[in-house]
Amino acid sequence: MGKNKKKPDYDPEEIRREMINMVKVLYSEGNKKSPDKRRSTLSSISEELGISISKVVKLLVTGGVYMPEMARRVNELYDSGLTVQEIQQKLSVSRATVHSYLPYRKGIYSAKDTSVNADRIRMYRERSMCIEVLCESMSENDLWDAVVAFQEYPFHTASGLPFSYVLKVGRDGTLNKELVVNRRQ
């Protein structure tokens, strides 16, 4: 019997398919309106979905809908066994350009639903930033932000006993300055 999944409904393949289909539909609708203005279509899709133009391009390349000459060349070189760095040098383009023309092979970065690992990384960054700010200013507000950020963090007492805490939520929906300590066994 394995460990319970923290996000049993998270399916990166499904998220990728949905994103690709959404971008494909928007791209085909945009090209019907103005087939000669591809850049403005990519830009409008980017704005509508709140993602970068390079991500729109990458989704369209992955979906097989948009394959400009540079994307064909990058993919041919990559399929022939060249590394990203070798492709960069051969075509005199940036690493980001090479990556933007390669189809997604894993999950989509910055999707609305994220993996457990992506959540863990985000929390780590938020907590690190809180500590950095707290060390610089040592204000009560920054201390409170750190207390909020470290909820459910696995601490250990001086004698090595594990514990974590959760802040109580008041009637008005805001966090109280009262803790519920969870002693793990």
Side-chain angles (χ1 to χ4, degrees), residues 11-175:
D11 181 2
E13 262 315 299
E14 181 62 29
I15 292 168
R16 181 178 10 194
R17 276 193 299 276
E18 287 175 8
M19 287 284 290
I20 290 170
N21 287 335
M22 189 182 329
V23 170
K24 281 168 117 175
V25 167
L26 292 170
Y27 184 71
S28 64
E29 287 173 0
N31 279 339
K32 287 176 189 172
K33 294 175 188 172
S34 59
D36 58 328
K37 296 183 179 178
R38 290 194 197 284
R39 178 76 181 161
S40 65
T41 301
L42 297 175
S43 182
S44 64
I45 295 169
S46 167
E47 287 175 26
E48 186 169 336
L49 298 179
I51 59 177
S52 67
I53 292 176
S54 61
K55 184 168 287 210
V56 171
V57 168
K58 190 169 184 86
L59 288 164
L60 291 170
V61 166
T62 304
V65 175
Y66 181 69
M67 192 62 80
E69 180 58 33
M70 181 61 79
R72 272 191 276 284
R73 291 172 61 198
V74 165
N75 279 281
E76 285 171 5
L77 294 170
Y78 190 79
D79 291 341
S80 73
L82 267 62
T83 66
V84 171
Q85 188 174 14
E86 292 168 334
I87 296 169
Q88 269 182 259
Q89 292 167 348
K90 188 168 184 95
L91 299 178
S92 299
V93 294
S94 70
R95 182 177 185 274
T97 299
V98 173
H99 279 288
S100 71
Y101 288 126
L102 291 172
Y104 279 107
R105 287 169 177 40
K106 295 181 181 178
I108 295 175
Y109 181 73
S110 297
K112 68 176 181 184
D113 292 329
T114 56
S115 67
V116 172
N117 193 45
D119 290 344
R120 212 175 277 131
I121 291 167
R122 180 187 49 76
M123 283 303 300
Y124 173 80
R125 288 180 179 155
E126 287 176 10
R127 288 172 176 155
S128 295
M129 183 59 76
C130 282
I131 294 301
E132 199 174 298
V133 169
L134 178 61
C135 288
E136 287 175 12
S137 69
M138 297 300 257
S139 75
E140 187 177 333
N141 285 335
D142 293 331
L143 176 60
W144 177 247
D145 290 342
V147 169
V148 170
F150 276 90
Q151 290 185 92
E152 299 182 36
Y153 185 83
F155 290 102
H156 288 85
T157 64
S159 61
L161 297 173
F163 77 96
S164 63
Y165 65 87
V166 178
L167 295 167
K168 288 187 177 180
V169 178
R171 291 181 191 172
D172 61 354
T174 61
L175 296 172

